Amino acid sequence: LMDDFPIKELTQHDSETQAEFDQRRWETKVLMCDNSARFLFDAFEFKFRYMRLMQLIQKLIVVFTSVFVIRYGDLSPRFIVLGISLLVHGLVTIILISFRPFNINIHDFVGVATHASLCLIIMFAIAIAAEVELPSELLTATMAANFAVPALCVVIGLVYYCFNRQREAKEAEDEMLRRAEIEAGLEDLQVEKGEVVCVPGEVQNPLTVSSPTITGKKRERERVRRIRIREKIRRDLQREMDDLREAQMDSDVHIDQRIQRLLRVFLMLGGAFATLALGLCILGLWSVQKTDLRSSVNNATMVTSKQIASYPDWPEFTSSCCCAASKSAVDLELGSTGPRDVEIWMCGNGVVQERIRSIAMYNSTSGKSYLVDGFSMRPMCSASFSSGCAVSPVTGTDMLTYGCTGQNIPQAPTHLW
């Protein structure tokens, strides 16, 4: 990367370590540029110059898992997403605390504060998703911190921005005053007449000290020669600065053009893949099979078309279908009734078989509801029955028989197999 910045090569001082020299060269040769790629690296120290890439990978992992995560066993997708997000943000927080990669300490503080807030929010989200009872005061404090920490970071950033602008303006003003003083001193030397007095004990500029043996015309010629030398040095320095500035501008233009070419290729490829994906989606919509939603009935109607999506037996049904658990909001304390736990089996023949596994029933004595389920016969979304329980087809018909032997299972839950 440094080869793209044609500023004069620096030399390492004897008192500098290699890391200090690399950092000084990084600040001199790279951070003085002004191209469209500068935001990728200008906020970080030399050894952490690829930190922006790590931040992009962090965001990509979080977004990818949020969109494409699926159920893994009995673990809900929301817990997988929250767990991966907590892991990623936690690792980044540890890295920021341990290495402090930014050039400015205030940036390190803002980065740590925001990532720590994200980790705290994700932990509360996991607790809420797991139905953990949390004090209302703690939730209120967390919500307040969720707004307060970003607001504080914004205020700190604005204050730092204003302070930095004032500091840069002050430095520019001091530089203009210094240049004006130099120009005024050169003009005074050009129009000055008479002798140059050397004050005893005063440190003099070697270019303005006259030899006491030089008098008259020799002294005047010596002074004019020194003025010309100073003007030549000033012109050479100004020309070198202009050349370096032009070279840097040429380098920045070259980098901008190269980035523009890369972005053009990236966007063209992205557009081609997006068009291909859209075409495949349209084809999928045209060729999709019509979904046949079937719900099991909570009675003795044991027809295969109503219970196992028209498959001949239970093993073939479970091998051809995927199960997703669903739970409806039934409040037992308020006396609500109806299905609560429901299995949704998505089958390869286009049928979505809905199987009711638990029902809330009303108790007139207590005024509350109680739950009746068939989990003693078969666990939720399980392909295997408990010992002694089975569902078998009736030979020569499309009917099923079910039941349990050797176990004390009530008849009502058995209907919810």
Side-chain angles (χ1 to χ4, degrees):
L1 183 61
M2 293 183 181
D3 295 337
D4 294 327
F5 301 91
I7 298 178
K8 183 182 295 184
E9 184 64 34
L10 303 178
T11 57
Q12 183 176 358
H13 302 318
D14 296 336
S15 59
E16 277 186 323
T17 63
Q18 184 62 38
E20 293 173 346
F21 173 67
D22 291 338
Q23 179 64 24
R24 183 166 64 90
R25 183 172 59 175
W26 171 260
E27 294 176 353
T28 303
K29 300 188 69 173
V30 179
L31 298 185
M32 299 301 294
C33 68
D34 185 20
N35 55 67
S36 56
R38 178 177 177 176
F39 79 98
L40 294 174
F41 50 79
D42 64 345
F44 307 102
E45 297 180 1
F46 169 71
K47 57 184 177 180
F48 301 110
R49 56 193 179 276
Y50 297 112
M51 190 70 182
R52 190 78 68 186
L53 177 61
M54 190 197 74
Q55 292 178 341
L56 295 175
I57 294 175
Q58 170 195 1
K59 294 178 175 60
L60 179 62
I61 293 174
V62 173
V63 174
F64 183 85
T65 54
S66 300
V67 175
F68 297 105
V69 70
I70 59 175
R71 177 181 294 275
Y72 180 77
D74 295 332
L75 191 60
S76 174
R78 69 167 67 95
F79 288 107
I80 299 177
V81 172
L82 292 174
I84 294 177
S85 299
L86 180 60
L87 176 63
V88 172
H89 293 311
L91 288 176
V92 174
T93 303
I94 295 174
I95 291 174
L96 293 177
I97 295 175
S98 303
F99 298 103
R100 292 179 292 179
F102 291 92
N103 286 319
I104 303 172
N105 292 332
I106 192 66
H107 292 173
D108 291 320
F109 168 76
V110 172
V112 171
T114 52
H115 281 82
S117 300
L118 285 173
C119 293
L120 181 63
I121 293 168
I122 294 173
M123 287 189 288
F124 276 99
I126 293 175
I128 294 173
E131 299 182 355
V132 177
E133 293 292 336
L134 298 175
S136 58
E137 296 81 3
L138 188 59
L139 293 176
T140 303
T142 304
M143 293 179 62
N146 189 23
F147 289 99
V149 172
L152 179 62
C153 293
V154 170
V155 171
I156 293 175
L158 291 176
V159 171
Y160 173 76
Y161 175 77
C162 295
F163 173 78
N164 194 40
R165 289 292 299 271
Q166 293 178 357
R167 181 177 59 82
E168 291 177 353
K170 183 66 169 56
E171 291 178 354
E173 183 179 357
D174 294 341
E175 180 66 19
M176 292 179 62
L177 291 175
R178 189 182 66 82
R179 289 180 177 274
E181 291 176 357
I182 293 175
E183 295 292 339
L186 290 175
E187 292 178 358
D188 292 341
L189 285 175
Q190 289 176 348
V191 301
E192 181 183 9
K193 299 298 182 180
E195 297 182 356
V196 178
V197 180
C198 181
V199 180
E202 182 178 355
V203 179
Q204 300 289 331
N205 189 319
L207 294 180
T208 61
V209 176
S210 290
S211 173
T213 60
I214 301 177
T215 59
K217 294 182 178 180
K218 292 183 178 181
R219 178 183 298 170
E220 185 70 18
R221 285 196 298 270
E222 179 69 14
R223 191 163 61 86
V224 171
R225 185 180 68 84
R226 289 172 179 171
I227 290 174
R228 290 175 177 174
I229 291 174
R230 292 184 65 175
E231 290 182 343
K232 183 177 183 301
I233 292 174
R234 183 177 63 84
R235 287 194 301 267
D236 291 342
L237 290 175
Q238 185 64 38
R239 183 169 57 253
E240 183 177 359
M241 290 177 60
D242 294 339
D243 292 341
L244 289 175
R245 188 178 295 109
E246 292 179 359
Q248 184 63 63
M249 291 177 61
D250 293 340
S251 177
D252 290 337
V253 171
H254 171 67
I255 294 175
D256 290 340
Q257 292 176 349
R258 188 165 55 185
I259 292 175
Q260 187 178 12
R261 289 195 298 270
L262 292 175
L263 286 177
R264 187 183 298 115
V265 173
F266 173 77
L267 293 176
M268 290 178 63
L269 292 176
F273 280 112
T275 304
L276 177 62
L278 179 61
L280 293 177
C281 290
I282 295 175
L283 291 177
L285 291 174
W286 284 345
S287 61
V288 68
Q289 295 180 356
K290 183 179 179 181
T291 301
D292 184 6
L293 178 61
R294 302 179 186 179
S295 178
S296 64
V297 290
N298 188 28
N299 53 37
T301 306
M302 295 295 292
V303 183
T304 57
S305 60
K306 293 182 178 294
Q307 299 291 341
I308 55 174
S310 299
Y311 286 96
D313 53 32
W314 176 257
E316 187 170 349
F317 169 72
T318 55
S319 62
S320 304
C321 306
C322 296
C323 180
S326 176
K327 180 179 292 187
S328 60
V330 177
D331 195 334
L332 302 179
E333 296 294 329
L334 297 178
S336 301
T337 60
R340 183 183 182 185
D341 293 285
V342 179
E343 293 177 347
I344 300 176
W345 293 83
M346 290 163 285
C347 303
N349 60 0
V351 177
V352 177
Q353 180 69 58
E354 186 181 76
R355 295 203 50 79
I356 300 174
R357 299 305 314 281
S358 69
I359 295 179
M361 304 184 69
Y362 181 71
N363 188 335
S364 59
T365 304
S366 62
K368 299 180 181 180
S369 298
Y370 62 96
L371 202 61
V372 178
D373 62 62
F375 298 147
S376 58
M377 186 176 183
R378 182 175 61 86
M380 189 72 172
C381 277
S382 175
S384 302
F385 287 89
S386 301
S387 177
C389 299
V391 172
S392 304
V394 178
T395 304
T397 66
D398 60 350
M399 302 295 292
L400 298 172
T401 60
Y402 63 89
C404 297
T405 59
Q407 294 192 29
N408 186 18
I409 300 177
Q411 184 65 18
T414 308
H415 290 80
L416 302 173
W417 60 271

